[in-house]
């Protein structure tokens, strides 16, 4: 029992470190998923003036399917006050792993989605894409170091805990 | 056509609740609902315009419920199915049409690009006109159709030209004037017979050109559909007149509507005068309203 307890206490920080590391990866994957979504929106609006409902029903990306965002998005009705994207982002706040800056950029884009002329809509898509790609580039650069840090800290704390308890 | 039931899903919550609370009789007679940003909501039946307070009671204009900016944006978002960019071409012309045939006349901030109206910015007014199917309204017109002929139906706005044209098209194609006629209906604004409309069950041999510009629709109809009658709504522009004169060479009669209150008034408008000078129409059918009731006058035109 004592051994089991020691193992649990030492492995918990390792598990937490690995979780943080995976979460950092998940955050980047979701961000890349949103970038692909905005590109798809831009494409469908530019070439076929597709309605919001049609745009979202014709697109899928694993990172945003797995976390339940796309099923939520597709279930929302088009029209009304806020865009489908805005409503989905607000409702999905609890399970999305995107950071504040990404969330703010997407919400700002969602406010104008479906409410402005074609030229303005395409310009808004481009502005949103540009900002998201900048954020993604920073995260991609920082990801390996961040993951290494999380794992290392987890192992270090686990090892220290084990030593202290022994 | 259950126009009010079709309208309610498009409305902002406060207004949909208000209209839902109206009596059945009032809902059936409702023709227009007008929203103006920060101004009183108004409702029109065939006989009157009235105002309602937020509790649903009739009131004076200064006590009436008002539309907010949120209401306008909510309504416009629904009318555009969440995709304003898709409807910019019709919005520039000042209207939107729902799939149920509800016409929304819209106006707001005009945006110009190189001197040409390119888009509409903020929306300040929406006039929701509800289509009505009134079987029998075209009885007097059908009486003149033992043989297909070209007729121009005129009236001021809001009297019932489109409603009459709808009933006429359905019934003449179904044989109510004798035998069923092959009718090519050029429905540019999708107001006369929206695709999927329940009143289609009363129709017969109708070829529907929905959303076609009148000139294109008339040309296609005469070239490919061998119609016995062409029907279209609201002629008046030079393009319309040129298309009509071209179609007349094919010998297909035309029933059309135009804004106007008398034959003399038509003669004062050069495009319409051209049509009348060419004797395109053998009859002018004039609609008017007297004490809320529809009145029809016919004027035969010497050919």
């Amino acid at each position: 029992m004592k051994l089991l307890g020691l193992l649990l206490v030492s492995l918990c920080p390792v598990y937490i470190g690995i979780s943080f590391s995976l979460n950092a990866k998940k955050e980047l994957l979701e961000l890349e998923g949103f970038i692909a979504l905005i590109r798809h929106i831009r494409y469908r609006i530019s070439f076929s003036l597709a309605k919001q409902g049609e745009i979202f029903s014709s697109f899928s990306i694993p990172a945003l399917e797995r976390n339940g965002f796309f099923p939520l998005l597709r279930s929302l009705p088009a029209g009304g006050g806020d865009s489908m994207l805005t409503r989905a982002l607000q409702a999905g706040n609890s399970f999305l792993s995107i950071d504040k800056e990404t969330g703010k950029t997407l919400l700002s884009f969602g406010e104008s989605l479906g409410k402005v002329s074609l030229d303005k809509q395409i310009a808004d898509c481009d502005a949103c894409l540009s900002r998201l790609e900048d954020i993604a580039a920073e995260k991609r650069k920082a990801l390996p170091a961040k993951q290494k840090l999380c794992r290392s800290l987890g192992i270090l704390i686990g090892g220290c805990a084990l030593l202290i308890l022994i | 056509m259950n126009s009010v039931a079709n309208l309610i899903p498009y409305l902002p919550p406060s207004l949909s609740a208000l209209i839902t609370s109206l009596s059945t009789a009032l809902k059936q007679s409702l023709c227009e609902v007008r929203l103006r940003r920060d101004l009183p909501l108004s409702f029109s039946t065939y006989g009157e315009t009235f105002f309602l307070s937020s509790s649903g009671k009739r009131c004076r204009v200064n006590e009436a419920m008002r539309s907010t900016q949120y209401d306008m944006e909510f309504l416009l978002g629904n009318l555009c199915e969440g995709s304003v960019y898709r409807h910019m071409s019709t919005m520039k012309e000042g209207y939107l049409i729902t799939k149920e045939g509800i016409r929304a006349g819209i106006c707001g901030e005009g945006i110009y690009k190189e001197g040409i109206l390119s888009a509409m910015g903020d929306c300040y007014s929406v006039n929701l006109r509800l289509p009505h199917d009134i079987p029998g309204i075209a009885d007097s017109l059908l009486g003149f159709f033992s043989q297909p002929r070209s007729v121009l139906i005129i009236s001021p706005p809001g009297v019932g030209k489109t409603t009459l044209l709808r009933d006429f098209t359905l019934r003449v194609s179904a044989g109510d004037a004798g035998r069923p006629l092959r009718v090519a209906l050029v429905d540019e604004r999708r107001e006369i017979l929206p695709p999927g409309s329940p009143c289609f069950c009363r129709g017969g041999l109708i070829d529907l050109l929905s959303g076609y510009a009148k000139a294109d629709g008339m040309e296609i109809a005469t070239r490919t559909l061998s119609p016995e009658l062409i029907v279209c709504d609201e002629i008046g522009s030079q393009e319309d007149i040129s298309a009509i004169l071209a179609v007349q060479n094919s010998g297909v009669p035309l029933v059309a509507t135009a804004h106007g209150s008398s034959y003399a008034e038509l003669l004062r408008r050069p495009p319409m005068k051209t049509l009348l000078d060419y004797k395109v129409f053998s009859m002018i059918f004039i609609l008017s309203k007297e004490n809320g009731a529809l009145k029809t006058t016919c004027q035969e035109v010497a050919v």
Side-chain angles (χ1 to χ4, degrees):
Chain A
M1 280 302 287
K2 195 178 171 185
L3 190 61
L4 188 64
L6 279 171
L7 270 171
L8 273 171
V9 168
S10 57
L11 287 175
C12 256
V14 175
Y15 174 76
I16 291 168
I18 292 172
S19 293
F20 270 98
S21 159
L22 288 173
N23 207 50
K25 176 83 178 163
K26 188 180 169 208
E27 193 182 311
L28 179 60
L29 284 174
E30 284 184 3
L31 172 55
E32 286 171 346
F34 278 113
I35 290 172
L37 175 63
I38 307 296
R39 274 203 200 107
H40 175 74
I41 291 171
R42 190 196 190 283
Y43 171 75
R44 289 300 311 274
I45 289 174
S46 309
F47 286 96
S48 54
L49 296 177
K51 293 185 281 192
Q52 277 192 66
E54 288 169 7
I55 293 172
F56 299 128
S57 67
S58 64
F59 186 73
S60 180
I61 201 150
L64 297 178
E65 291 282 3
R66 271 196 305 264
N67 66 3
F69 181 77
F70 269 158
L72 171 64
L73 179 62
R74 287 188 207 109
S75 69
L76 297 169
D82 294 328
S83 68
M84 289 169 74
L85 182 63
T86 300
R87 281 178 274 147
L89 286 166
Q90 286 167 346
N93 199 31
S94 56
F95 56 78
L96 286 171
S97 299
I98 51 176
D99 64 15
K100 259 188 180 170
E101 182 65 32
T102 306
K104 202 170 136 191
T105 306
L106 288 169
L107 278 170
S108 173
F109 171 73
E111 271 169 21
S112 72
L113 181 60
K115 294 181 185 171
V116 296
S117 65
L118 181 62
D119 291 343
K120 178 84 174 58
Q121 193 72 84
I122 293 172
D124 286 349
C125 288
D126 290 338
C128 181
L129 274 171
S130 172
R131 184 68 201 117
L132 292 180
E133 276 161 0
D134 286 344
I135 298 172
E138 285 168 16
K139 287 197 185 299
R140 265 183 226 116
K141 201 171 162 188
L143 183 66
K146 191 174 179 183
Q147 284 187 308
K148 197 172 174 184
L149 178 67
C150 290
R151 284 193 298 263
S152 307
L153 269 176
I155 293 167
L156 185 66
I157 293 169
C160 288
L162 188 66
L163 281 172
I164 290 167
L165 287 168
I166 288 171
Chain B
M1 274 180 177
N2 194 342
S3 297
V4 172
N6 290 334
L7 174 66
I8 286 172
Y10 291 96
L11 298 173
S14 52
L15 184 52
S16 68
L18 190 69
I19 290 187
T20 305
S21 68
L22 295 177
S23 67
T24 307
L26 200 51
K27 279 183 202 166
Q28 280 172 354
S29 62
L30 205 56
C31 299
E32 282 183 2
V33 179
R34 288 187 183 240
L35 288 83
R36 298 179 176 92
R37 195 166 109 179
D38 301 326
L39 291 170
L41 276 163
S42 69
F43 302 85
S44 299
T45 61
Y46 285 115
E48 63 165 335
T49 296
F50 60 93
F51 307 91
L52 297 173
S53 66
S54 48
S55 58
K57 292 196 169 63
R58 288 205 184 211
C59 63
R60 289 186 297 204
V61 62
N62 55 352
E63 294 161 353
M65 188 168 153
R66 291 174 181 248
S67 310
T68 62
Q69 183 177 352
Y70 174 79
D71 291 338
M72 307 301 287
E73 287 174 2
F74 189 98
L75 175 62
L76 204 63
N78 277 344
L79 291 171
C80 293
E81 299 166 292
S83 312
V84 161
Y85 47 80
R86 186 181 166 90
H87 298 273
M88 266 293 151
S89 58
T90 57
M91 284 175 73
K92 268 190 315 184
E93 292 179 31
Y95 74 96
L96 290 164
I97 300 274
T98 70
K99 58 183 184 293
E100 298 88 358
I102 297 168
R103 184 172 76 178
I106 57 174
C107 71
E109 190 151 354
I111 295 171
Y112 281 76
K113 208 171 172 180
E114 291 167 10
I116 298 169
L117 183 64
S118 66
M120 191 190 82
D122 282 342
C123 178
Y124 299 144
S125 293
V126 179
N127 173 19
L128 298 162
R129 293 188 70 177
L130 307 179
H132 286 275
D133 183 25
I134 305 178
I137 192 174
D139 279 348
S140 50
L141 178 59
L142 277 170
F144 296 99
F145 265 80
S146 52
Q147 288 294 326
R149 60 190 300 187
S150 291
V151 175
L152 180 64
I153 303 165
I154 63 169
S155 83
V159 171
K161 291 189 296 299
T162 305
T163 306
L164 186 142
L165 201 65
R166 181 180 300 121
D167 187 47
F168 169 79
T169 305
L170 291 165
R171 293 173 65 191
V172 81
S173 66
D176 282 15
R179 62 172 180 85
L181 294 181
R182 290 191 304 277
V183 176
L185 172 60
V186 184
D187 193 358
E188 184 171 7
R189 293 193 167 195
R190 300 184 182 91
E191 278 185 279
I192 306 169
L193 282 177
S197 174
C199 58
F200 263 105
C201 63
R202 297 200 288 118
L205 309 177
I206 301 175
D207 294 309
L208 178 61
L209 295 103
S210 185
Y212 284 70
K214 283 188 273 290
D216 295 334
M218 284 192 270
E219 189 190 339
I220 289 168
T222 48
R223 273 200 281 125
T224 66
L225 298 172
S226 62
E228 292 174 290
L229 187 67
I230 295 176
V231 172
C232 63
D233 203 7
E234 295 197 23
I235 61 170
S237 69
Q238 196 53 58
E239 291 83 10
D240 295 341
I241 306 311
S242 304
I244 290 167
L245 291 173
V247 158
Q248 285 307 294
N249 289 334
S250 65
V252 180
L254 171 71
V255 173
T257 68
H259 289 303
S261 52
S262 66
Y263 185 77
E265 189 193 314
L266 291 181
L267 289 173
R268 288 196 287 271
R269 285 157 33 194
M272 298 306 295
K273 187 174 182 304
T274 307
L275 277 185
L276 297 172
D277 287 344
Y278 274 91
K279 308 267 190 267
V280 169
F281 299 104
S282 63
M283 189 170 82
I284 310 295
F285 198 77
I286 305 168
L287 301 181
S288 58
K289 277 272 171 72
E290 255 178 42
N291 300 320
L294 192 68
K295 186 183 159 197
T296 61
T297 317
C298 310
Q299 184 159 347
E300 295 276 355
V301 176
V303 177

